[in-house]
Amino acid sequence: MQAPPATRPQLALVIRLGAIAGLATMSALIKLASQHGIHLFEIMFWRQFLTLPLIVGYLLATTGNLKSLATQRPGTQVMRGIYGTVGMVLNFGAVILLPLAEATTINFTVPIWAVLLSILLLKEKVGVWRWSAVLLGFAGILVIAQPGGGHFPLYGALVALGGAFMIALISIQVADLNRTDKPLTIVFYFACVTTPITALALPFVMTAHDSTGWLLLLGIGLSGAIGQLLLTAALRFGKVASVIVMDYSGLFWATLYGWWLFDMLPPPSTWLGAPLIVIAGLVIAWREHRLTRPTERDIARAEGT
């Protein structure tokens, strides 16, 4: 068994930001593909299937072999794939059912779930600073969503909320898998599990596509694979309850893509709540840095050994 990777919170936060940019691009393409007449399950199939040749080709070009794809925990990889399939149905469905900004906003409940799951499953200690930051972020979400105002379709909102819970649960799984397996291995086996599952639906939902349709599916596969790799790598260097807060940056991308591709902008409440969410992310990033920085006592102890 390989040694657990060293915690590098700042690097983890930067990687997570890149992951969210890639996944936000994938979400915009998913919505375009759905409007182009491509079924959800076919989108899921191509998203996962295209990941396999990308990873294999990359490894053959860089290392000349596929030894690094070996896993020490095949059973856990299968469970991650099953949970991931459920999560993809919910999260892709939310993007299709809701405007991008709304789907992204509800997805911001992920840190709330992540903190609770981190305590219950990983026995992590979450102090007052991170709790306060999470609550501040939740307050921002309430300002944006305006519960009871009828801004969100109920069915789509419930689908998005379920997707957020699955992301938090999967993040716990990935953090655990990162103790023994590399990010490429985790993403590879995720695709290995989900591709045959989604392929079962193809005879019922697959249709002929024009060049635009194939380009959309190719873009979904590429942006999704890159985003997934970065997502997994972030959890290799940082704690779930900390790095997942960087998902708030998805609001910027959702707003940009919503305006550019769908001629839709978030309501004024979004601009009021977004600063609260950004501040919450900055507070957690600062606190994580403080917690992992060695103290004078730690340095003196290390020099004396």
Side-chain angles (χ1 to χ4, degrees):
M1 180 182 296
Q2 67 186 48
T7 301
R8 301 176 62 183
Q10 301 306 311
L11 175 61
L13 294 173
V14 172
I15 293 175
R16 188 78 177 194
L17 286 172
I20 298 307
L23 294 178
T25 301
M26 180 191 69
S27 294
L29 294 175
I30 287 171
K31 195 168 188 68
L32 285 173
S34 177
Q35 293 182 352
H36 201 67
I38 304 176
H39 194 277
L40 168 63
F41 290 127
E42 186 179 357
I43 293 173
M44 289 174 56
F45 169 80
W46 290 109
R47 155 67 180 91
Q48 294 301 91
F49 174 77
L50 291 172
T51 300
L52 298 173
L54 287 173
I55 292 178
V56 171
Y58 170 78
L59 288 176
L60 291 177
T62 55
T63 67
N65 61 72
L66 304 178
K67 293 181 180 179
S68 60
L69 292 179
T71 178
Q72 301 181 42
R73 303 159 69 188
T76 305
Q77 295 282 10
V78 171
M79 288 304 301
R80 184 265 183 274
I82 294 173
Y83 286 4
T85 302
V86 176
M88 286 177 64
V89 171
L90 294 173
N91 284 290
F92 286 18
V95 167
I96 292 172
L97 292 170
L98 298 172
L100 286 177
E102 277 77 354
T104 301
T105 298
I106 296 180
N107 202 253
F108 288 164
T109 59
V110 170
I112 309 298
W113 297 114
V115 167
L116 296 175
L117 290 172
S118 294
I119 295 171
L120 294 174
L121 301 180
L122 297 182
K123 310 301 181 183
E124 287 187 7
K125 293 183 179 180
V126 179
V128 64
W129 280 100
R130 281 188 288 177
W131 273 118
S132 300
V134 168
L135 291 175
L136 181 64
F138 184 67
I141 294 169
L142 291 178
V143 171
I144 293 172
Q146 297 184 0
H151 182 57
F152 291 147
L154 179 59
Y155 175 67
L158 291 176
V159 170
L161 190 62
F165 173 80
M166 291 306 300
I167 290 177
L169 181 60
I170 292 165
S171 295
I172 300 290
Q173 284 185 309
V174 171
D176 180 51
L177 279 169
N178 266 317
R179 296 186 298 107
T180 57
D181 292 348
K182 297 179 179 180
L184 270 178
T185 303
I186 298 171
V187 174
F188 178 77
Y189 279 95
F190 176 41
C192 285
V193 173
T194 53
T195 297
I197 292 176
T198 54
L200 295 175
L202 289 184
F204 308 99
V205 301
M206 188 173 181
T207 58
H209 305 305
D210 56 15
S211 58
T212 300
W214 285 116
L215 285 174
L216 287 171
L217 290 172
L218 179 61
I220 290 169
L222 289 172
S223 59
I226 293 171
Q228 190 70 47
L229 285 169
L230 293 176
L231 205 70
T232 304
L235 293 177
R236 189 173 180 82
F237 297 108
K239 294 181 179 181
V240 173
S242 300
V243 300
I244 213 166
V245 178
M246 291 300 100
D247 291 12
Y248 292 145
S249 65
L251 182 59
F252 165 77
W253 296 108
T255 302
L256 177 63
Y257 285 133
W259 166 71
W260 180 34
L261 299 176
F262 306 102
D263 196 25
M264 298 182 67
L265 284 173
S269 57
T270 298
W271 306 115
L272 294 175
L276 300 180
I277 297 173
V278 172
I279 292 172
L282 293 175
V283 168
I284 289 183
W286 167 79
R287 186 58 180 167
E288 184 69 10
H289 175 68
R290 295 274 298 182
L291 290 173
T292 57
R293 187 175 61 185
T295 63
E296 293 182 1
R297 180 180 299 177
D298 294 329
I299 296 173
R301 185 178 302 168
E303 291 176 345
T305 58

